[in-house]
Amino acid sequence: MEEPSRRVLDAYGLTELPVRLAGGQGETWRSGAVVLKRADAEAGWRAEVLSALPESEDFRVARPVRARDGEWVAFGWEASELLVGATDVRRQDEVLTAGAAFHEAVSGLPRPDFIDTRHDPWADGDRVAWREQSVDGSPAYVELVRPLVAAWRPVELVAQVVHGDLPGNVMFADGLPPAIIDWPVYWRPPSWAAAVAVADALCWYGAEPELAARWAHLPEWGQMLVRALIYRMTTDDLANGAETWTTTRRSAYAPVIDLALSCSG
């Protein structure tokens, strides 16, 4: 990916040459103590929220940095402070605990307008999981997702803004609260966001089934796991089609599907 140009650096008053950071799909850069990445349509909204969020003993966030003209975005780039720490997908209970504290802190925010207008595999996969949208998927996807669709039932839970991709986006540093970064915004119950994190940990990060059991006190836990898996599998299929469904990938999902079904009641 192209690095931020000199005019982008100048817009934020930065003088050090940009250095690509690990993670962030190779699209994140550091200049001094500031992190730069391409802005999306939600950047301004996130910046306003994160800049106003009170300090917490339970989590940190990367505070947004304004450009010299006072705007949150300059020439298509957004900026935030550089945080110390590193992600660790093995520390899933700590990830979930930090996520819960973060969701409590943002629970009073109104529903953002952009939720209704974005369309990509992740947004569409989320809508499919909640039966707000239909999809014609590849045969392997349809076969794999069928028992989850059959187990799906309506729930009555309060939605709010949540972080939809916690496991690889919580950083840890000695003596500091976990730092929550790279916030993909969804309007769903917090227990769904936790279920996505648990499903990801079980499928991809070597977590044991006991992780799901430890968080089973969350509202409608079985149904949230069902939706989390439908969301992830639909997103996979929308993004990559039939080529997604290798034996390895199907094998990763299969035991987690069985676990979710056993919890769905």
Side-chain angles (χ1 to χ4, degrees):
M1 293 293 294
E2 183 180 353
E3 68 181 45
S5 65
R6 171 51 59 186
R7 71 172 183 170
V8 172
L9 299 177
D10 289 344
Y12 286 102
L14 303 173
T15 57
E16 294 190 25
L17 292 176
V19 176
R20 193 195 304 269
L21 294 175
Q25 300 179 331
E27 300 176 7
T28 306
W29 302 78
R30 175 180 63 82
S31 175
V34 173
V35 174
L36 295 160
K37 64 180 181 179
R38 290 283 185 181
D40 58 22
E42 305 164 21
W45 182 92
R46 280 196 307 267
E48 290 291 343
V49 170
L50 295 176
S51 65
L53 206 59
E55 293 289 339
S56 171
E57 296 181 354
D58 300 314
F59 65 89
R60 295 174 287 150
V61 296
R63 299 293 179 177
V65 174
R66 290 187 187 271
R68 292 196 294 183
D69 64 1
E71 298 296 325
W72 292 119
V73 176
F75 303 112
W77 291 77
E78 61 179 304
S80 61
E81 65 178 353
L82 179 69
L83 296 178
V84 297
T87 60
D88 187 344
V89 295
R90 299 167 299 178
R91 299 171 68 169
Q92 288 304 323
D93 286 295
E94 293 167 89
V95 165
L96 287 157
T97 299
F102 176 74
H103 290 147
E104 176 65 26
V106 299
S107 61
L109 294 173
R111 191 175 193 272
D113 292 339
F114 59 73
I115 294 289
D116 297 319
T117 58
R118 66 184 180 193
H119 285 279
D120 55 47
W122 294 267
D124 292 337
D126 168 54
R127 294 187 188 103
V128 169
W130 288 85
R131 295 197 175 175
E132 298 170 355
Q133 185 173 311
S134 61
V135 64
D136 294 322
S138 66
Y141 158 80
V142 172
E143 179 183 357
L144 198 60
V145 83
R146 183 180 291 117
L148 294 167
V149 172
W152 192 100
R153 64 172 175 77
V155 297
E156 293 187 7
L157 295 175
V158 176
Q160 64 164 82
V161 290
V162 296
H163 192 301
D165 191 20
L166 285 166
N169 289 310
V170 178
M171 300 198 310
F172 299 94
D174 291 343
L176 294 171
I180 295 174
I181 60 172
D182 292 347
W183 180 13
V185 183
Y186 291 82
W187 184 258
R188 295 300 177 200
S191 55
W192 171 83
V196 172
V198 168
D200 286 353
L202 293 170
C203 288
W204 315 120
Y205 303 132
E208 298 294 332
E210 289 76 18
L211 175 66
R214 288 195 294 274
W215 292 87
H217 61 281
L218 294 179
E220 296 285 5
W221 185 236
Q223 285 296 310
M224 294 303 99
L225 286 172
V226 164
R227 285 161 171 77
L229 287 165
I230 294 174
Y231 157 63
R232 283 304 197 203
M233 290 190 289
T234 304
T235 295
D236 282 351
D237 200 64
L238 289 171
N240 300 302
E243 293 182 359
T244 296
W245 303 111
T246 62
T247 300
T248 298
R249 199 158 191 86
R250 293 197 304 271
S251 297
Y253 275 121
V256 189
I257 292 171
D258 290 342
L259 186 152
L261 293 174
S262 72
C263 297
S264 61

